[in-house]
Amino acid sequence: MADQKITGALFQSMVIEGALAIAEKKEQVNELNVFPVPDGDTGTNMSLTMAAAMNELHKLSEPTLAKAADTTASALLRGARGNSGVILSLLFRGMAKKLREADEAAGCELALALREGVDTAYKAVMKPAEGTILTVSRVAAQRAVEACQADPSLSAEQVLVTILERGQEALAETVHQNPVLEKAGVVDAGGCGFLAILEGMLDALRGIHKERTAAAPTKESADFAAIADEDITFTYCTEFIAARKDKARNVGRLRAILSEIGDSLVVVEDEDIVKVHVHTDAPNRALEEGLKFGPLLTVKIENMREQHTAKVIEGTADAPRERVIVPAEKKYGFVAVAAGDGLKDVFTDLGVDVVVQGGQTMNPSTDDILHAVDAVPAEIVFVLPNNKNIIMAAEQAVGLSDEKKVVVIPTKTIPQGISAMLAVDPDSKREQDIADAMQTAVRGVRSGQVTYAARDSEFDGKKIRQGEYLSLYEGRLCASGRENAVIKKLVREMVRETSTFATVIYGEGVSEAQAAEVEALLLKENKGLDISVINGGQPVYYYILSVE
């Protein structure tokens, strides 16, 4: 196979095998995410993005190389989720530009195609940072091009091997190129995911089709879409083991309390430990009861609604939706991304036409955002991503919407999105005036969140244990540990003497009384604050705070 060239059918097989490879390794890639917060994990986003291409390629019969490459690029663009998925789609879009020029691709064509992909991705990223998937792909492509210049007879297999070998070296170097990665002692997750895809593609090029443990859903798979989200009575599957330091404490009393706040309860005890499994909307209350027995030895909290949504997304990834473009009835319209009925109501009340369900752990695709834009009866549609990992996917919708003009306001948090909408003057004659007002409002907002650690981790020399509370301030880790401690630290970081307005948005499993305690902490820091408390109903984040 030394002189084998890549045909359309072979490229089709390579991309499908690459999609299966990243699906198999997505959890390994997810584990490389620096902060242990539950988010739109890199491996999951890349896997869902590649699944979109795989599902479209399965529909083709003996395609030309141009057809296979263009189908891949188009499907990836529409299915792109998160920044990693968007960059992946850009790499393949650039590759398609070169691959469509020939009926077959030898080694040199493959090297030049990847370099074109790298150029396309770099042009689309405003401030490309070193130590990312961009670095890994650039360095690998450059080595491949240099190898072909030295020996133009290299086969596609030899070039792909060269790309992977140099890519692995570049990936190992990312830990020292990015200060955040160096603090955490890990390599870049996006670069790792990209190499996993290339490894799958190399397998297919060599005629190897592995039995992979994370294959695409089959007809025999469970139909998660048939299970209504409302059928999930409680949100969080909570498990922990507590050391039994207080031998006199009554385990029967623990069972009674947990049965009041949840179901699916299992409590196992012996002389040394108490082990608990419960489904509840108040995992913090369950953990507090466990702590009364002694230190928590292990903690695992999973959002069952989010898992259900992810299963539905994965199970329906092969069902593309027809675009239905609503005619314009007004000049301006708005789309916002948010999760939680309360937040949906907030944005709707502020004038948002369509709210895309999404956020942390559930990054909507470019296609999701495009369909939302299509549904807005306006000539110009402003899009508020409200999450840094959704901005790039939203920006890709700009070029896909010919009928309506799309303007993305790069909001990174829910409070920024709310402030942006409050700044809108619907009677403005110029769209730029609205965009400028929204951008100005965004810059005046400080945002913080309280969530939980999704996995054990170590960052900046500090051990973080799965299940403990985390607070984030402007996207960086503020504190970890017990609930009150992390909230107090966050409030102290956010509030200034000059602060005048604050918002507390509380999520699933948080009571109004608990939210009032956070309001009191804010007032303790600044008695002059005007504070709004909103039941957002959002998953993942116990609290979202903003201060202006």
Side-chain angles (χ1 to χ4, degrees):
M1 300 176 68
D3 59 348
Q4 183 181 27
K5 293 185 177 181
I6 299 175
T7 62
L10 182 53
F11 187 77
Q12 175 188 33
S13 178
M14 290 168 67
V15 174
I16 290 172
E17 199 67 26
L20 294 173
I22 185 59
E24 181 181 48
K25 294 186 176 180
K26 67 180 180 182
E27 290 306 327
Q28 293 174 239
V29 176
N30 286 343
E31 290 296 324
L32 294 173
N33 282 335
V34 175
F35 292 135
V37 297
D39 60 10
D41 282 334
T42 301
T44 300
N45 281 339
M46 296 183 84
S47 177
L48 289 171
T49 301
M50 287 297 294
M54 177 176 67
N55 293 322
E56 289 303 304
L57 287 170
H58 273 309
K59 301 174 184 177
L60 302 182
S61 177
E62 294 297 318
T64 63
L65 181 56
K67 179 65 173 177
D70 286 343
T71 298
T72 299
S74 176
L76 290 178
L77 173 60
R78 291 175 178 274
R81 295 178 188 274
N83 295 340
S84 55
V86 172
I87 292 173
L88 186 62
S89 74
L90 293 169
L91 289 169
F92 276 91
R93 188 196 304 180
M95 290 176 68
K97 291 179 187 176
K98 280 293 180 185
L99 293 178
R100 72 167 67 105
E101 296 174 358
D103 294 331
E104 298 178 329
C108 287
E109 286 83 9
L110 180 60
L112 292 173
L114 181 56
R115 186 172 70 178
E116 183 70 28
V118 170
D119 290 343
T120 301
Y122 266 91
K123 288 174 184 175
V125 178
M126 292 294 292
K127 296 180 180 179
E130 285 300 301
T132 67
I133 181 177
L134 292 172
T135 306
V136 173
S137 59
R138 185 194 75 236
V139 171
Q142 184 60 33
R143 172 66 63 82
V145 170
E146 291 170 355
C148 288
Q149 289 171 341
D151 183 0
S153 68
L154 289 177
S155 68
E157 180 183 346
Q158 290 170 318
V159 167
L160 192 46
V161 168
T162 299
I163 289 170
L164 273 164
E165 288 177 346
R166 184 63 185 102
Q168 291 291 355
E169 294 171 359
L171 180 64
E173 293 163 5
T174 59
V175 69
H176 303 299
Q177 293 172 327
N178 185 316
V180 177
L181 295 180
E182 190 159 33
K183 283 183 178 181
V186 296
V187 297
D188 177 65
C192 181
F194 182 55
L195 294 182
I197 293 166
L198 294 182
E199 287 169 356
M201 294 178 72
L202 179 59
D203 283 341
L205 181 60
R206 288 171 167 170
I208 300 170
H209 297 277
K210 297 179 179 178
E211 288 291 330
R212 301 188 185 273
T213 57
T218 64
K219 289 183 180 179
E220 289 74 32
S221 300
D223 183 5
F224 288 95
I227 304 171
D229 187 68
E230 291 78 10
D231 292 337
I232 302 173
T233 307
F234 294 100
T235 302
Y236 299 100
C237 175
T238 305
E239 300 177 19
F240 64 84
I241 297 175
R244 198 167 183 183
K245 298 293 186 182
D246 186 349
K247 308 285 187 184
R249 184 163 289 276
N250 191 326
V251 176
R253 173 64 177 157
L254 173 66
R255 286 193 182 94
I257 292 172
L258 295 180
S259 66
E260 290 176 359
I261 63 171
D263 63 11
S264 300
L265 177 63
V266 179
V267 179
V268 180
E269 59 174 304
D270 63 20
E271 288 296 316
D272 299 315
I273 64 168
V274 177
K275 185 174 182 179
V276 170
H277 171 281
V278 63
H279 294 174
T280 179
D281 283 335
N284 54 328
R285 174 77 187 282
L287 297 181
E288 286 170 4
E289 293 300 324
L291 282 167
K292 292 177 181 178
F293 287 83
L296 299 183
L297 305 179
T298 65
V299 176
K300 181 181 179 183
I301 302 174
E302 294 179 332
N303 187 314
M304 294 184 291
R305 296 185 193 277
E306 291 300 308
Q307 288 180 331
H308 169 259
T309 301
K311 289 293 184 183
V312 171
I313 290 171
E314 289 180 332
T316 58
D318 58 347
R321 294 170 291 164
E322 292 292 328
R323 290 182 63 185
V324 179
I325 301 171
V326 176
E329 299 174 357
K330 56 184 178 179
K331 187 170 184 179
Y332 304 121
F334 302 88
V335 168
V337 180
D341 290 340
L343 286 177
K344 180 180 179 180
D345 291 343
V346 168
F347 279 109
T348 301
D349 290 345
L350 290 173
V352 169
D353 298 274
V354 178
V355 177
V356 179
Q357 286 291 324
Q360 291 296 93
T361 78
M362 190 174 60
N363 297 155
S365 67
T366 295
D367 204 41
D368 293 331
I369 295 169
L370 181 62
H371 276 77
V373 170
D374 290 344
V376 177
E379 299 172 21
I380 301 167
V381 181
F382 293 88
V383 177
L384 304 171
N386 299 332
N387 186 298
K388 67 178 182 179
N389 207 33
I390 300 173
I391 293 172
M392 288 189 72
E395 289 172 342
Q396 300 311 300
V398 174
L400 294 173
S401 179
D402 296 327
E403 297 80 4
K404 303 172 191 285
K405 182 173 183 179
V406 178
V407 180
V408 178
I409 306 298
T411 49
K412 296 180 180 179
T413 66
I414 291 293
Q416 287 184 354
I418 292 173
S419 292
M421 285 305 301
L422 286 169
V424 171
D425 178 1
D427 296 325
S428 293
K429 302 207 181 296
R430 296 174 63 246
E431 68 188 71
Q432 191 58 50
D433 292 340
I434 293 179
D436 289 344
M438 295 174 91
Q439 294 274 26
T440 299
V442 165
R443 288 193 290 269
V445 181
R446 293 191 296 280
S447 303
Q449 299 90 22
V450 177
T451 183
Y452 60 91
R455 63 183 72 88
D456 289 339
S457 179
E458 184 170 339
F459 183 75
D460 205 11
K462 179 178 176 55
K463 289 188 182 298
I464 298 172
R465 299 195 61 170
Q466 183 184 53
E468 70 181 3
Y469 288 86
L470 301 176
S471 59
L472 307 172
Y473 176 46
E474 296 296 296
R476 63 176 176 81
L477 188 63
C478 175
S480 63
R482 297 172 74 91
E483 181 180 15
N484 286 344
V486 301
I487 295 175
K488 286 180 181 178
K489 178 79 181 295
L490 178 62
V491 168
R492 285 195 295 268
E493 287 271 352
M494 294 183 66
V495 178
R496 309 278 191 275
E497 289 184 5
T498 55
S499 300
T500 58
F501 186 77
T503 303
V504 178
I505 304 171
Y506 61 98
E508 289 180 337
V510 177
S511 68
E512 187 175 347
Q514 289 172 312
E517 292 176 8
V518 177
E519 179 184 12
L521 287 174
L522 286 162
L523 285 172
K524 187 175 180 181
E525 289 296 314
N526 184 331
K527 290 185 171 28
L529 278 178
D530 180 7
I531 302 176
S532 295
V533 180
I534 300 170
N535 181 358
Q538 71 274 3
V540 181
Y541 293 130
Y542 301 123
Y543 303 99
I544 299 173
L545 307 181
S546 70
V547 177
E548 301 177 49

